[in-house]
């Protein structure tokens, strides 16, 4: 926290921390994995870049450089002696003043790390389409990872969990598929991989990685609007995300997707992704920062 390593139990903030009230903070979710050469942080540069992009949208004057936060992220993994897990950097408006314009508040930075297993479990997930629309890109910078955006995700998650499904699917202001509460979505139709274009979604780093992998595997990839009808008629569907990794979707609104538990293209991509994050594929080792 703010340049110091603090024991877990002492990592506290004041109750009048600005971001706690109004959600004006920028954060990241990063994973690191066990490799034969020790822990490897997946796409650290891209996550730090997105963190600074999100902070810039909030006009935050970040008191550290990208290099300093990159080094601190590596160090938090090292001193916690973790082999694999999750890292949560957060840049927030701290304690100083209330009122909506955050200028005048200190800009605080924290980075936490902890072990975290499969976010959506090991089985293909049952989804439902949420009644809540994904945040409108004219209401905010929808491509930034800003704390307050996640109230939209919280509402969709509460709704869908109450109805007994595992994860929500949110549609955008044009009525097309956007993403999950914390994941991007892909469908497979006639051997082609299709994912919603940028605009209303968070441009996921896992999404980019999967698209690059698919191209290298000669799987055609398209960024295209997906209607509800196309979604329900998909041969395969899966989520991607730092927490969720590659998670196959078994059902949407009670309708089974595909004939198998996990579709063949989903499975192939999931297996390649799993090898890549553990440093087992030379061409993707560029994505790992060894600690
Ligand atoms: N969409 C949302 C809303 C998210 O919170 C996340 C998680 N960061 C993603 C997509 C996936 O992004 P990434 O692959 O960069 O984790």
């Amino acid at each position: 926290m703010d340049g110091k390593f603090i024991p877990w139990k002492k990592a506290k903030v004041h109750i009048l921390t600005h971001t706690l009230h109004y959600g004006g903070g920028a954060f990241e979710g990063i994973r690191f994995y066990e490799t034969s050469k020790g822990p490897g942080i997946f796409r650290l540069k891209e996550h730090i870049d997105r963190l600074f992009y999100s902070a810039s949208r909030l006009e935050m004057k970040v008191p550290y450089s990208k290099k300093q936060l990159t080094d601190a992220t590596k160090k938090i993994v090292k001193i916690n002696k973790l082999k694999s897990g999750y890292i949560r950097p957060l840049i927030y408006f701290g304690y100083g003043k209330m009122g909506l314009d955050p200028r005048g508040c200190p800009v605080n930075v924290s980075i936490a790390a902890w072990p975290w297993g499969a976010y959506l479990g090991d089985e293909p997930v049952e989804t439902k389409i949420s009644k809540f629309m994904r945040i409108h890109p004219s209401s905010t910078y929808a491509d930034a990872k800003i704390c307050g955006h996640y109230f939209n995700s919280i509402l969709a998650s509460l709704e869908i969990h109450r109805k007994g499904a595992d994860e929500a699917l949110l549609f955008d202001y044009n009525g097309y598929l956007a993403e999950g509460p914390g994941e991007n979505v892909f469908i497979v139709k006639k051997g082609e991989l299709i994912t919603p274009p940028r605009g209303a979604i968070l441009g996921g780093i896992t999404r980019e990685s999967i698209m690059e992998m698919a191209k290298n595997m000669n799987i055609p990839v398209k960024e295209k609007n997906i209607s509800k009808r196309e979604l329900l008629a998909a041969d395969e569907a899966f989520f991607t995300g730092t927490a969720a990794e590659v998670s196959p979707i078994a059902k949407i609104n009670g309708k089974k997707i595909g004939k198998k538990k996990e579709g063949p293209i989903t499975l192939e991509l999931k297996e390649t992704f799993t090898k890549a994050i553990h440093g087992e594929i030379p061409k993707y080792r560029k994505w790992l920062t060894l600690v």
Side-chain angles (χ1 to χ4, degrees), residues 28-29 47 50 134 145 150 153 179-184 202-207 240-243:
E28 270 307 315
H47 282 287
R50 189 170 66 187
R134 162 78 182 157
K145 201 165 166 66
Y150 284 81
S153 300
E179 59 186 339
E183 308 87 4
N184 293 114
L202 182 79
I205 293 163
T206 320
R207 174 183 177 273
T240 64
T242 296

Side-chain angles (χ1 to χ4, degrees), residues 167-283:
E167 195 63 323
L169 287 167
L170 289 92
F171 277 61
D172 69 13
Y173 60 102
N174 283 320
Y176 291 113
L177 176 65
E179 59 186 339
E183 308 87 4
N184 293 114
V185 194
F186 285 84
I187 64 166
V188 176
K189 189 69 187 175
K190 295 196 172 88
E192 193 174 56
L193 194 59
I194 309 166
T195 195
R198 281 166 172 268
I201 63 167
L202 182 79
I205 293 163
T206 320
R207 174 183 177 273
E208 286 296 323
S209 310
I210 287 295
M211 288 200 288
E212 187 174 330
M213 278 179 180
K215 280 176 197 150
N216 290 338
M217 291 156 77
N218 295 319
I219 300 167
V221 193
K222 208 187 259 173
E223 294 178 70
K224 184 176 106 46
N225 285 326
I226 300 169
S227 68
K228 183 175 170 187
R229 198 171 50 80
E230 284 171 298
L231 172 66
L232 291 169
D235 298 331
E236 303 176 30
F238 60 90
F239 284 122
T240 64
T242 296
E245 300 165 310
V246 177
S247 291
I249 294 175
K251 281 187 184 171
I252 302 170
N253 284 1
K255 182 185 181 292
K256 267 187 81 180
I257 298 301
K259 294 187 192 73
K260 297 225 177 80
K261 207 168 125 187
E262 296 183 18
I265 292 183
T266 306
L267 205 59
E268 204 185 339
L269 286 166
K270 189 177 154 182
E271 283 172 3
T272 309
F273 181 75
T274 304
K275 282 189 189 141
I277 57 184
H278 290 99
E280 289 163 24
I281 304 178
K283 92 167 149 248

Side-chain angles (χ1 to χ4, degrees), residues 68-84:
Q68 282 174 310
L69 293 194
T70 301
D71 290 346
T73 305
K74 289 198 255 181
K75 206 156 176 195
I76 201 85
V77 169
K78 201 164 195 154
I79 68 166
N80 276 292
K81 298 193 176 71
L82 295 167
K83 286 183 180 156
S84 65

